[in-house]
Amino acid sequence: MLARFLAAIAAMVVVVTASNILVLYPVQFQLGSLNLADLLTWGAFTYPFAFLVTDLTNRYDGANRARIVVICGFVVALGLSAYLATPRIAIASATAFLVGQLLDIAVFARLRNRYWLVPPLTGSLLGSALDTLIFFTIAFAPALGFIDGLFGMEDGSLGFGAPWLSLGPEVPLWTSLATGDFLVKFLAALLLLAPYRALMGKVMPLPASPTAASA
């Protein structure tokens, strides 16, 4: 349906744009000796919904439609993030988004006929892992600080030391943030199985059991 397809595109644009901005803001909260600012940004809580949108579109309308949603979201979100965030963040976000989402679509399509939770969970976890690696490397690794310089901006790298996950040995802050980000995405992938299953059932209900069919 056209309305559902347009709604998926709109949802993708909203999720990615919000995540591009919120990833700039660490979670300023102290949990005992654990400083969440050393391992989490607010973007980690919003971005997993992009995989929910992609997986539902893939389930409803197939991989080709899901790719169109991703590409449309990519194009619009790139323009918005370039305006709302720094060029380096926009490049990192767009690249990570496109590669991670396309991987999710490919994995989901290959596992489509498995038990209902296998395609979205496997695709989301693999896509999230690749997305996290690409985004944090481009956006915050000191080795790529020259990207800021190309746009006449101050180096925004996060290469200074911080305890890994706020508790472990000292590592560059961007690697600790990447780890915390992926852990949140991992948890979100599990939690989002519930709305995925509920919405999947509304559009694609499971076949009636033999008992129900004979009743």
Side-chain angles (χ1 to χ4, degrees), residues 12 16 39 42 45 68 87 108 112 138 153 167 198 200 212 215:
M12 186 66 77
V16 176
L39 60 131
W42 287 108
F45 295 93
I68 294 174
F108 188 106
R112 177 180 298 277
I138 295 177
M153 305 187 72
L167 299 172
M200 172 186 135

Side-chain angles (χ1 to χ4, degrees), residues 90-116:
I91 292 170
S93 178
T95 303
F97 168 76
L98 186 61
V99 176
Q101 291 293 319
L102 291 179
L103 176 61
D104 174 42
I105 292 171
V107 172
F108 188 106
R110 181 174 290 273
L111 301 175
R112 177 180 298 277
N113 296 323
R114 302 291 183 88
Y115 185 60
W116 72 267

